[in-house]
Amino acid sequence: MSSRKQPKGKIRPPKKPNSADAQFNDNWDRLAQAIREIHKKNASILSFEELYRNAYNMVLHKNGDKLYNGVREVITQHLEEVAVSQVVPAFPLSGASSSQTNPNGAGGANFLKVLKTVWEDHTTCMLMIRDILMYMDRVYAKTANVPLVYDLGLDLFRDTIVRSQNYPIQNHLLEVLLQQIKLERENEIIDRTNVKASIDMLLELTDASTKDTVYATDFENKFLETSSEYYRVEGQMLVGEYDAPEYMKKVDKRLNEEEQRVRHYLSQTTEPKIRNIVEEELISKHLKTVIEMENSGLIPMLRNEKMDDLGRMYKLFGRVVKGHDEMKSAISDYIRELGKAINETVTSNTTAEGGNAASGDKQTGATVAVRWVQEVLDLKDKFDKVQNLALSNDKAFQTSFNEAFEYFINKNSKSPEFISLFIDDNLKKGLKGKTEEEVDSVLDKTITLFRFIGEKDVFERYYKQHLAKRLLLGRSVSDDAERGMIGKLKVECGYQFTTKLEGMFNDMRISSDTMTDFKEYLDKSVLEKPKLDLSVTVLTSTFWPMNLSASPRCNLPPELTKACGTFQNFYLGRHSGRRLTWQSNMGTADIRGSFKARKHELNVSTYQMVILLMFNDKQDGESLSYEQIKGESDIPEADLKRNLQSLACAKYKILVKEPKGKEINPGDQFNFNNDFTAPLQRIKIQTVASKVESEGERKETREKVEEARKHQTEAAIVRIMKDRKTMEHNLLIAEVVKQLQSRFMPNPALIKKRIEALIEREYLERATGDRRVYNYLA
Amino acid sequence: YSNFYRDLSNMLTDARDHDVIIQVGENQNRKELRAHSNILRARSEYFKIAFSDGWIIKKNDIIEFKKPNINPTVFEAILEYIYTGEFNLREKSVDYILQLIVACDELLLEELLDCAQDC
């Protein structure tokens, strides 16, 4: 530290001990002089102890107010001088239009620099003044309720410099600040320290009326207004010039820049406000335009799987209120559109195929179903990926996507059947060369589609049919796989849904035990053994898809009838009170055929066996007419046509049909094809295992479903009424819908009809007072 | 706390590492008191500012400070209070106590001022 000259002798006046006024003047003159020296940066010649003592004496002798006002005056005078001599000469050229004549803002930057110096000088001086006036601050300012001297200095600076009444300093300052920011937005390098100094200054000054900072009252609003205008123009320009990904990158950049700007030289309180402006002008106002940009908007991004761009859009648009909603609805519409296209390929395929559906080309039908499901799964995969990689697995988006899938999947009235066929396809033995794990993962995905089906009862019906065929024809991959699938369905729909399916498995197991017992029974029996091996599967009629009231008729050959009788005696002997009905439409038979070239073992359906056995009695070349076969076998017409097709029109032509052709028509003649040859010894005549239903079958299925729904609806009504005893019509309908909607969407008209039917059958009655209320009748 | 009081009191009277010389009083009644700037800064706002970069006066690394308007015996009591937080007013005259009160007021030693006024 430097030593310094003793100031004492220099400024000490002669003593006038008896005059208080003289003492005051003496004290004040010294202080005023000292403050001037401080302003001249000459403080090193001053003695703290003396100046402090002077101020102390003044306050002690009740001259605090004179001191305070004197200080105010000296500082004001000084600041006026600073304004004239330093600030005004630094005004950017040509005043208000400086931004035009000073495109690079050099004049403005210099102005800020001068202001920075002026401000720093002022605060430095005020700190020293505060030091020597500490006694005044502590003792006088407190009791007189006036600002401390440092704060007085800030107020004086505010009123004399920043908001000078005499010079347009304020206008210049705001204009220069806004101009500097504008220059920076246009990628010019500005001196941020100068800008920051001015901003900090405005932040330190307080507006007397609002008690807010001068930054907030004078600067911030103007800044936000000009920013709003700036980004309004920029938004329009960018939307016109750039494609969607580029646009979003620009916006991202702008948001970043504004955040950085606030962090570097504005107040943090401005951050949310300027962010809102950029978001409003660059995102909200152009949401739709960007989403719908041709060749680069949301849909093209999805089409080309631009995950980065999608992710950017998700993040960016999430900043504004409607952003995600707009995205969601655009993507959902797109999913619906793609789904509609998938549905259309199916309808065009099935109608094109409709012509030859009856011609034995059944495989195509199943292929359409499998392809439909596969395409829907692919679509699902695609959007799962989008959801995962670009949308942060946003639940709201997932829900909206699901709705879109649900919508178009249920637009295809065949979707329950298709999905069941797809599962069938995957659970069939050795068809695809897929590993068990692969199949399992495909089935898991299929379950997600199953969730979207509205008519789960229809699905159940098809699933039962397809499962029955797999079980009876022994075509299942494995019990484990089947049970695994049923397990998955159980998780989705609960116990009730799968009980019957599990019952089918039990029947299969019990039947195999029964057959073992039957063989033993035959060995021990004295009866004549059947001339053929009979294998019977006993199916519980309520579990399996069969219609007892319209049980298929068929005249079986005598040997078979006899064998059936033997089994029936055995079985009914063990289980009294049961009724066995032979389902000849579901069986298969192994028979041996002697042809000219060689013998073949033929694996055929029971119906085909019945048809072929008729030719045993015929001479070579003797033919049977369609009508003869129909009459003698009594096989239902549709089944007969289909089985004759398999025998005469498919790959292996065991029968020859006259006239040739793919259709079976009344009047056709059939001959045993003695010239038949085939490389394999064992031949399987393709029975139609699974296929898309024809329109007739569909109608039939539909009727069965409707019938089942009636029962389920009635059961639900009775269940609810039994519990509640009395219920109002609308409430009852709502409750029934609630209970049934996991299986299908019952329409209120149907429910109303069922209520009426139940009233007729005296399960319910209308309440006497109120016709809208029902009572339960025990 | 008797040791604490004694040790700090000794620091004021015995130590050789003073870095402040305070010239108290005027004319014949003048005395040079020695003290530690860090303790004065820590205990008194007044000295904190007086010894701050803007106002400090040093000669050969020793801080010089003059306090002509306070009686040396009064200032000694003030120093004792600054160092130890205690002071002894027993057998002191009313005039002395009045002088002490005035000096405390000037130096903004409010705590000491309260105590002296209670006497």
Side-chain angles (χ1 to χ4, degrees):
Chain A
M1 292 295 137
S2 61
S3 60
R4 59 162 102 150
K5 239 166 71 183
Q6 292 297 312
K8 211 172 167 186
K10 217 177 187 177
I11 44 174
R12 192 177 229 187
K15 250 188 174 174
K16 293 178 187 166
N18 292 326
S19 160
D21 266 359
Q23 177 70 33
F24 165 77
N25 285 333
D26 180 37
N27 282 334
W28 169 242
D29 284 349
R30 286 182 198 209
L31 274 172
Q33 184 56 36
I35 292 172
R36 281 184 210 108
E37 294 298 335
I38 288 174
H39 281 142
K40 284 186 214 152
K41 301 181 186 172
N42 272 339
S44 60
I45 60 162
L46 304 173
S47 155
F48 168 75
E49 192 277 328
E50 271 184 42
L51 296 170
Y52 180 94
R53 180 149 44 86
N54 280 331
Y56 158 73
N57 278 326
M58 288 178 77
V59 175
L60 196 66
H61 296 108
K62 310 287 176 215
N63 287 317
D65 53 341
K66 285 180 191 161
L67 172 62
Y68 195 87
N69 291 331
V71 169
R72 184 210 303 275
E73 212 160 290
V74 173
I75 295 174
T76 309
Q77 259 173 27
H78 168 70
L79 288 176
E80 282 290 353
E81 232 175 85
V82 167
V84 181
S85 66
Q86 295 184 57
V87 182
V88 173
F91 279 170
L93 290 174
S94 75
S97 58
S98 62
S99 55
Q100 285 159 20
T101 51
N102 261 331
N104 57 4
N110 182 57
F111 175 70
L112 294 182
K113 203 168 160 191
V114 168
L115 212 56
K116 177 173 184 265
T117 314
V118 166
W119 168 248
E120 281 168 1
D121 288 349
H122 175 72
T123 50
T124 311
C125 292
M126 283 314 299
L127 288 174
M128 299 199 83
I129 293 169
R130 180 182 69 179
D131 284 349
I132 55 178
L133 298 178
M134 181 161 62
Y135 192 85
M136 180 186 83
D137 267 350
R138 291 286 173 89
V139 178
Y140 169 76
K142 212 176 274 175
T143 48
N145 199 21
V146 292
L148 299 178
V149 71
Y150 186 83
D151 297 336
L152 172 70
L154 292 180
D155 291 348
L156 294 176
F157 191 88
R158 178 192 64 208
D159 298 336
T160 321
I161 305 276
V162 173
R163 288 176 178 174
S164 166
Q165 298 294 312
N166 303 331
Y167 315 101
I169 298 175
Q170 188 180 25
N171 283 348
H172 279 289
L173 174 58
L174 294 180
E175 203 170 300
V176 166
L177 285 174
L178 296 175
Q179 185 209 19
Q180 291 285 308
I181 290 172
K182 188 176 179 214
L183 286 173
E184 197 179 47
R185 280 181 180 147
E186 274 151 19
N187 291 325
E188 302 239 4
I189 308 287
I190 61 162
D191 188 345
R192 284 178 165 184
T193 41
N194 289 332
V195 180
K196 182 173 165 47
S198 290
I199 295 290
D200 285 348
M201 173 185 84
L202 295 179
L203 277 167
E204 257 185 78
L205 302 176
T206 308
D207 180 77
S209 56
T210 61
K211 300 291 171 210
D212 211 340
T213 62
V214 172
Y215 171 90
T217 53
D218 293 10
F219 171 76
E220 195 180 43
N221 282 338
K222 285 235 163 57
F223 167 68
L224 295 175
E225 269 167 39
T226 49
S227 301
S228 214
E229 176 60 17
Y230 183 84
Y231 284 118
R232 190 181 63 76
V233 173
E234 170 155 301
Q236 281 164 355
M237 187 273 287
L238 290 178
V239 159
E241 268 179 38
Y242 293 98
D243 65 4
E246 277 308 310
Y247 181 85
M248 294 190 303
K249 279 178 198 162
K250 297 270 181 225
V251 176
D252 235 1
K253 190 164 161 262
R254 280 308 195 192
L255 283 163
N256 246 322
E257 283 171 7
E258 291 302 330
E259 199 200 322
Q260 290 298 322
R261 185 175 348 278
V262 170
R263 186 173 311 159
H264 279 109
Y265 56 79
L266 299 180
S267 160
Q268 276 308 311
T269 56
T270 307
E271 203 276 328
K273 298 175 191 165
I274 183 67
R275 177 156 37 88
N276 275 342
I277 283 172
V278 182
E279 286 168 354
E280 168 68 19
E281 296 297 336
L282 295 189
I283 305 178
S284 290
K285 286 201 174 163
H286 303 290
L287 269 183
K288 281 214 160 170
T289 321
V290 176
I291 285 178
E292 287 165 6
M293 275 185 177
E294 226 179 321
N295 303 325
S296 72
L298 180 55
I299 304 307
M301 285 178 201
L302 289 168
R303 195 183 301 131
N304 303 319
E305 309 208 337
K306 301 278 189 202
M307 296 302 177
D308 288 350
D309 292 336
L310 286 167
R312 183 170 292 113
M313 184 180 270
Y314 173 77
K315 279 205 201 99
L316 215 52
F317 285 18
R319 289 165 165 268
V320 301
V321 185
K322 285 259 173 196
H324 278 174
D325 287 348
E326 293 285 356
M327 277 183 83
K328 244 176 2 204
S329 75
I331 301 179
S332 296
D333 288 351
Y334 182 53
I335 294 176
R336 285 196 170 92
E337 199 181 296
L338 292 176
K340 196 174 157 207
I342 296 175
N343 284 345
E344 270 163 10
T345 60
V346 169
T347 31
S348 65
N349 256 305
T350 39
T351 43
E353 183 219 18
N356 50 7
S359 66
D361 191 10
K362 304 287 157 76
Q363 211 51 41
T364 331
T367 318
V368 169
V370 170
R371 202 178 55 223
W372 181 84
V373 174
Q374 193 55 55
E375 278 177 22
V376 176
L377 282 178
D378 290 348
L379 194 64
K380 184 87 174 56
D381 273 350
K382 182 186 169 104
F383 283 93
D384 282 348
K385 209 163 109 194
V386 171
Q387 172 69 346
N388 200 358
L389 296 177
L391 305 178
S392 310
N393 288 319
D394 186 315
K395 286 252 163 51
F397 275 79
Q398 188 65 64
T399 311
S400 144
F401 291 2
N402 286 349
E403 279 164 14
F405 273 95
E406 204 174 311
Y407 172 80
F408 84 76
I409 285 175
N410 286 305
K411 273 276 168 192
N412 176 10
S413 60
K414 292 177 185 167
S415 56
E417 183 185 5
F418 281 8
I419 292 172
S420 175
L421 275 172
F422 182 82
I423 297 171
D424 185 59
D425 195 55
N426 277 283
L427 284 175
K428 262 190 222 159
K429 224 180 262 180
L431 270 182
K432 297 279 173 272
K434 285 180 190 158
T435 65
E436 247 177 70
E437 286 78 21
E438 282 169 340
V439 170
D440 200 54
S441 103
V442 171
L443 293 180
D444 270 337
K445 286 182 187 166
T446 317
I447 284 287
T448 63
L449 299 193
F450 166 77
R451 272 179 215 147
F452 296 139
I453 300 178
E455 299 182 303
K456 298 210 166 46
D457 56 342
V458 177
F459 171 84
E460 187 192 351
R461 187 163 288 274
Y462 285 112
Y463 193 84
K464 237 160 83 172
Q465 268 171 27
H466 298 145
L467 174 63
K469 280 183 180 149
R470 287 200 297 279
L471 291 177
L472 293 176
L473 301 174
R475 301 195 57 184
S476 248
V477 202
S478 72
D479 259 22
D480 284 351
E482 291 286 359
R483 282 180 192 280
M485 188 64 209
I486 290 175
K488 292 185 214 299
L489 291 172
K490 198 190 229 168
V491 170
E492 293 300 318
C493 288
Y495 177 73
Q496 268 198 318
F497 191 78
T498 52
T499 328
K500 288 181 179 177
L501 303 180
E502 280 165 349
M504 291 164 74
F505 276 98
N506 275 342
D507 280 350
M508 294 304 290
R509 204 190 61 237
I510 294 168
S511 292
S512 118
D513 294 348
T514 307
M515 284 324 291
T516 318
D517 294 349
F518 181 54
K519 282 214 179 70
E520 273 176 34
Y521 165 82
L522 285 181
D523 288 344
K524 286 179 195 156
S525 156
V526 291
L527 293 171
E528 191 193 346
K529 293 209 171 85
K531 290 184 177 132
L532 49 97
D533 283 338
L534 182 68
S535 174
V536 181
T537 316
V538 182
L539 313 178
T540 311
S541 60
T542 49
F543 295 161
W544 294 74
M546 58 174 92
N547 192 346
L548 280 183
S549 59
S551 229
R553 304 145 301 166
C554 173
N555 291 330
L556 296 173
E559 302 93 66
L560 190 55
T561 312
K562 203 174 160 199
C564 288
T566 310
F567 178 80
Q568 204 153 346
N569 285 337
F570 157 76
Y571 189 82
L572 294 178
R574 305 175 118 219
H575 307 279
S576 61
R578 292 195 187 173
R579 193 160 64 92
L580 288 177
T581 313
W582 295 94
Q583 303 284 314
S584 40
N585 59 331
M586 294 159 106
T588 60
D590 288 328
I591 54 177
R592 186 169 299 140
S594 307
F595 300 91
K596 209 183 273 171
R598 61 189 284 196
K599 288 183 176 175
H600 285 283
E601 269 185 31
L602 305 175
N603 177 262
V604 296
S605 72
T606 305
Y607 283 151
Q608 287 163 357
M609 173 196 73
V610 170
I611 295 165
L612 288 176
L613 286 182
M614 284 183 200
F615 288 89
N616 270 352
D617 308 336
K618 302 296 172 242
Q619 299 299 314
D620 274 0
E622 199 180 331
S623 66
L624 286 169
S625 70
Y626 173 77
E627 284 74 14
Q628 279 175 301
I629 297 173
K630 184 173 182 295
E632 211 169 304
S633 66
D634 205 20
I635 297 171
E637 193 155 349
D639 287 327
L640 179 60
K641 279 188 175 174
R642 195 180 302 148
N643 279 289
L644 280 171
Q645 251 175 349
S646 306
L647 288 170
C649 313
K651 187 176 172 192
Y652 301 114
K653 292 187 173 53
I654 313 296
L655 297 181
V656 181
K657 181 171 88 83
E658 276 303 329
K660 307 258 182 253
K662 290 208 157 185
E663 306 292 332
I664 305 293
N665 293 311
D668 284 354
Q669 294 286 326
F670 296 90
N671 262 317
F672 181 69
N673 184 7
N674 221 339
D675 300 329
F676 175 80
T677 56
L680 293 168
Q681 204 248 329
R682 225 186 113 79
I683 292 167
K684 184 172 174 62
I685 305 296
Q686 284 293 339
T687 36
V688 184
S690 50
K691 57 165 183 32
V692 178
E693 283 184 324
S694 67
E695 279 316 307
E697 289 167 318
R698 180 170 309 285
K699 209 177 145 200
E700 206 174 297
T701 308
R702 205 65 231 179
E703 280 164 8
K704 286 181 193 161
V705 167
E706 292 305 335
E707 197 56 36
R709 284 182 182 177
K710 280 184 194 169
H711 293 310
Q712 285 167 10
T713 310
E714 285 188 0
I717 296 169
V718 170
R719 214 166 31 238
I720 294 161
M721 289 306 294
K722 197 173 176 181
D723 183 43
R724 307 284 178 90
K725 304 300 181 212
T726 286
M727 213 170 178
E728 198 269 331
H729 177 78
N730 287 337
L731 292 176
L732 178 59
I733 300 257
E735 189 61 28
V736 171
V737 169
K738 201 175 130 201
Q739 289 205 4
L740 293 176
Q741 67 191 359
S742 70
R743 296 182 52 79
F744 64 96
M745 217 32 213
N747 77 48
L750 168 78
I751 303 174
K752 207 174 162 209
K753 260 194 186 151
R754 288 303 101 205
I755 295 175
E756 276 156 13
L758 287 168
I759 291 174
E760 217 162 88
R761 302 205 313 267
E762 298 190 338
Y763 281 94
L764 307 178
E765 64 171 11
R766 289 183 197 279
T768 36
D770 188 348
R771 303 279 292 163
R772 304 282 297 165
V773 173
Y774 305 110
N775 293 329
Y776 179 69
L777 298 174
Chain B
Y1 298 115
S2 60
N3 287 352
F4 179 77
Y5 172 82
R6 186 198 65 210
D7 294 346
L8 283 167
S9 188
N10 286 347
M11 193 176 165
L12 180 59
T13 49
D14 297 350
R16 294 187 174 183
D17 57 350
H18 302 123
D19 61 345
V20 185
I21 297 175
I22 304 174
Q23 208 181 85
V24 197
E26 279 178 304
N27 307 327
Q28 288 75 33
N29 187 17
R30 202 163 59 182
K31 194 170 180 183
E32 283 195 349
L33 301 175
R34 285 158 199 277
H36 301 85
S37 64
N38 45 10
I39 290 192
L40 296 180
R41 278 199 198 96
R43 295 273 296 148
S44 145
E45 186 77 18
Y46 178 92
F47 284 112
K48 193 173 164 184
I49 289 169
F51 299 161
S52 68
D53 288 350
W55 302 107
I56 198 167
I57 301 166
K58 276 190 171 184
K59 210 170 250 174
N60 303 328
D61 275 347
I62 300 292
I63 300 169
E64 293 189 339
F65 192 77
K66 292 187 176 162
K67 197 68 198 122
N69 63 334
I70 296 180
N71 190 323
T73 53
V74 171
F75 204 87
E76 275 169 19
I78 287 173
L79 275 183
E80 191 184 354
Y81 165 76
I82 285 175
Y83 271 73
T84 65
E86 290 180 26
F87 56 98
N88 188 356
L89 292 182
R90 264 176 295 172
E91 296 165 23
K92 300 290 187 203
S93 67
V94 173
D95 181 49
Y96 178 89
I97 290 175
L98 277 176
Q99 283 187 52
L100 180 64
I101 288 173
V102 171
C104 286
D105 177 50
E106 184 190 340
L107 301 181
L108 296 171
L109 293 165
E110 280 161 31
E111 203 181 79
L112 178 58
L113 184 65
D114 290 345
C115 291
Q117 278 169 342
D118 288 344
C119 288

